[in-house]
Amino acid sequence: MALKFNCILAVTLSAVVVTSLFFHASAALGGGGLPGGWSPITDTKDPQVVEIGKFAVNEYNKQAKTNLVFKRVKKGATQVVAGTNYRLVISANDGGRSNNRYLAVVWEKPWENFRNLTSFKKL
């Protein structure tokens, strides 16, 4: 009887540990939520988020032949897909004295060293 109880206990604890590790790994990779749902970014100064914001502005500059200057990420959210989508509100300067806000979506698959600017528009 004690052996059966110990086996059940071991299986239950293993399931809890594996589930916990999955959710912690997902959050560490920027997933932070269930596949398909958007989760708010709590730290817009996180180096990964800033890097994605700078990538968005640089990629837009290449495509649109503009000279926007990245200032900061104002807010954002992530979505777990085949990788991670970043939806960011970015403050950037267009050469004048005032900063404008832009909405950018970047798709990233870090294990493939892949990033793609999905959309970028002025708000």
Side-chain angles (χ1 to χ4, degrees):
M1 184 70 154
L3 181 60
K4 185 175 180 182
F5 175 76
N6 286 341
C7 287
I8 292 171
L9 182 61
V11 169
T12 303
L13 287 175
S14 296
V16 169
V17 168
V18 168
T19 302
S20 176
L21 289 174
F22 170 77
F23 283 110
H24 287 293
S26 175
L29 292 173
L34 296 174
W38 288 95
S39 298
I41 294 172
T42 56
D43 182 8
T44 58
K45 293 181 182 178
D46 178 281
Q48 174 69 11
V49 174
V50 172
E51 184 180 328
I52 296 291
K54 288 179 178 179
F55 169 82
V57 170
N58 290 336
E59 193 64 23
Y60 178 75
N61 282 338
K62 288 180 201 173
Q63 293 175 11
K65 299 186 183 356
T66 60
N67 289 316
L68 293 178
V69 177
F70 174 86
K71 294 299 180 188
R72 69 184 185 103
V73 174
K74 295 183 71 93
K75 64 180 179 177
T78 58
Q79 178 187 43
V80 177
V81 290
T84 303
N85 278 328
Y86 290 83
R87 183 174 58 198
L88 305 176
V89 175
I90 296 169
S91 177
N93 189 304
D94 63 1
R97 291 183 181 248
S98 64
N99 291 329
N100 294 307
R101 293 182 325 142
Y102 299 88
L103 179 64
V105 178
V106 175
W107 177 28
E108 181 183 50
K109 295 191 280 185
W111 63 92
E112 291 183 5
N113 200 26
F114 170 86
R115 282 188 187 149
N116 183 55
L117 180 62
T118 304
S119 68
F120 193 96
K121 64 181 179 179
K122 189 174 182 179
L123 293 176

